[in-house]
Amino acid sequence: MILWYGGKQTGSESSKPEGIYLKADAQESLPLMLDKWKEKIQVIYLDPPFFTGKNFSFRQRVGNEAWQGNSKHVISHQAYSDIWDNKEKFLAMLRQVLTTTHQLLKPEGSLFLHLDYRFSAYAKLLMDEIFGEDNFLNEIIWAYQSGGRAKKYFSRKHDTILFYRKSDKHYFNIEEVGRPRGAAKRNNMKKQAGEDGRVFWSIRSHGKEYRYYEDSKIYPSDVWDDISHLQQKDPERTGYDTQKPEALLERILLSTSQSGDWVGDFFAGSGTTASAAQKNGRKWIAVDMSDFSIHVCRKRLLQSSEAKILCFSDPGLK
């Protein structure tokens, strides 16, 4: 099944589609996309299974009682399985998806691969092989505070996001994800105002003065500890296990794509990438094989936009 997500209504007809949802397995469907989509996608975010050996759920809230927090009115469904016969099978899937993904990216494009401690090292070697070592840009650490505390080792409180470019032509704009420095006092700095009226904090070191203007921007490093993991009662929650926050995807999309660009997510899950793309003027392609994924994604998009949804049954994305 393909779900086309059309643009806002103009008269009686919608504009060109802004998004495409393909209900299919990524490993099987991505090669079918090459004829039409080769070197057409600007940025791809992949949040594949983590080789956890577990099944993950979608929790469906039924009635007002459930939406008010009564767990007795919540139905739990299996959203997807992350149980594999062996590591070799998982690596074979990852290799095929990454190889096809590389072909789908534009020369200016980028890929973000989201994993954890189980397979990030394996994935780095695969990415070096497929994308080239020179095209590795960052190992992003997304650090968060959630879950329990380990007693026999240091608690695992981060995921790894590998950031690679397709080529040295890649687009990257750090200005899009900077945030104002603000008025908060820092260390032993002195607050002053320049001749132009701009407020700054200054400090002297080794005979030099360093100024930090309040209206200048602070840019993210490769450790992202300012984006919170979604809590259970977060309004953004859809009931989908392993859901990522939109703020995480917004930082990725804004820094590596421009308005009107195509964005891909081939393990779409709860539809966070599609939602973030739609809200920020990007077009999107989402792929997932779960029945619950397509319904959760559709609901999120309908709640956040005036766009029209049309359904087709063309398995080749033609």
Side-chain angles (χ1 to χ4, degrees):
M1 175 189 292
I2 291 178
L3 180 146
W4 293 80
Y5 192 71
K8 292 185 178 181
Q9 301 299 297
T10 55
S12 60
E13 297 182 357
S14 66
S15 60
K16 291 183 178 180
E18 296 176 347
I20 300 168
Y21 187 105
L22 175 62
K23 184 181 180 298
D25 177 83
Q27 190 174 2
E28 297 175 357
S29 62
L30 293 185
L32 300 176
M33 296 173 60
L34 287 175
D35 284 347
K36 182 174 181 179
W37 293 96
K38 187 175 182 179
E39 295 194 341
K40 296 291 180 61
I41 303 178
Q42 173 59 31
V43 56
I44 295 173
Y45 168 78
L46 298 178
D47 182 16
F50 283 12
F51 199 79
T52 62
K54 300 177 181 179
N55 292 318
F56 291 91
S57 301
F58 165 62
R59 295 173 179 82
Q60 180 182 9
R61 288 178 280 192
V62 180
N64 291 332
E65 292 88 349
W67 288 98
Q68 291 171 3
N70 189 336
S71 60
K72 293 181 179 180
H73 294 263
V74 176
I75 302 173
S76 183
H77 309 272
Q78 182 175 314
Y80 69 95
S81 175
D82 189 15
I83 299 174
W84 300 80
D85 294 337
N86 50 58
K87 288 185 178 182
E88 289 70 26
K89 189 171 183 179
F90 182 84
L91 280 171
M93 177 279 293
L94 201 56
R95 177 185 292 276
Q96 182 171 335
V97 169
L98 290 172
T99 300
T100 313
T101 295
H102 181 264
Q103 297 176 69
L104 294 171
L105 280 175
K106 297 169 63 175
E108 301 83 8
S110 302
L111 174 76
F112 292 82
L113 177 62
H114 191 146
L115 290 166
D116 69 3
Y117 65 91
R118 296 174 181 89
F119 260 87
S120 59
Y122 292 97
K124 177 67 168 63
L125 295 175
L126 276 179
M127 295 287 287
D128 283 348
E129 176 188 331
I130 295 167
F131 280 71
E133 293 182 40
D134 293 342
N135 291 318
F136 167 73
L137 296 176
N138 285 115
E139 180 184 46
I140 298 167
I141 301 301
W142 177 38
Y144 45 78
Q145 296 295 323
S146 66
R149 299 289 173 179
K151 297 292 183 65
K152 296 184 177 180
Y153 52 85
F154 296 111
S155 297
R156 295 161 180 157
K157 298 294 181 180
H158 80 271
D159 289 354
T160 298
I161 304 174
L162 298 175
F163 174 24
Y164 279 75
R165 64 187 183 184
K166 175 72 174 282
S167 73
D168 59 7
K169 299 178 182 178
H170 82 292
Y171 173 83
F172 183 73
N173 186 357
I174 193 70
E175 292 292 330
E176 287 293 320
V177 292
R179 56 182 177 82
R181 183 174 294 275
K185 184 177 180 180
R186 290 170 176 80
N187 300 326
N188 296 315
M189 295 184 183
K190 295 181 179 180
K191 187 175 183 179
Q192 302 176 67
E195 294 180 358
D196 57 0
R198 292 179 69 197
V199 178
F200 65 90
W201 296 84
S202 67
I203 189 170
R204 298 192 69 85
S205 178
H206 301 292
K208 293 184 179 180
E209 182 187 48
Y210 297 89
R211 294 185 177 186
Y212 302 88
Y213 287 88
E214 287 188 357
D215 59 358
S216 63
K217 290 183 177 180
I218 298 175
Y219 303 106
S221 68
D222 60 357
V223 177
W224 295 359
D225 56 4
D226 58 330
I227 298 176
S228 174
H229 196 280
L230 291 178
Q231 304 302 317
Q232 289 302 317
K233 294 186 178 181
D234 195 296
E236 196 177 310
R237 274 284 185 188
T238 64
Y240 214 95
D241 276 351
T242 68
Q243 179 184 345
K244 303 304 184 294
E246 284 195 14
L248 187 74
L249 272 299
E250 284 182 351
R251 178 170 292 175
I252 288 171
L253 300 186
L254 291 175
S255 60
T256 56
S257 67
Q258 301 178 76
S259 180
D261 282 338
W262 282 97
V263 171
D265 184 346
F266 307 137
F267 299 93
S270 65
T272 300
T273 302
S275 181
Q278 187 70 33
K279 290 177 181 178
N280 290 282
R282 274 67 169 167
K283 301 176 183 179
W284 53 267
I285 301 176
V287 177
D288 202 289
M289 64 187 300
S290 170
D291 292 330
F292 301 105
S293 174
I294 191 169
H295 292 297
V296 172
C297 183
R298 180 181 184 274
K299 183 177 181 179
R300 289 182 78 170
L301 293 166
L302 284 173
Q303 289 175 336
S304 65
S305 176
E306 301 172 6
K308 179 181 178 182
I309 289 180
L310 304 174
C311 289
F312 294 86
S313 57
D314 176 2
L317 273 178
K318 302 298 184 182

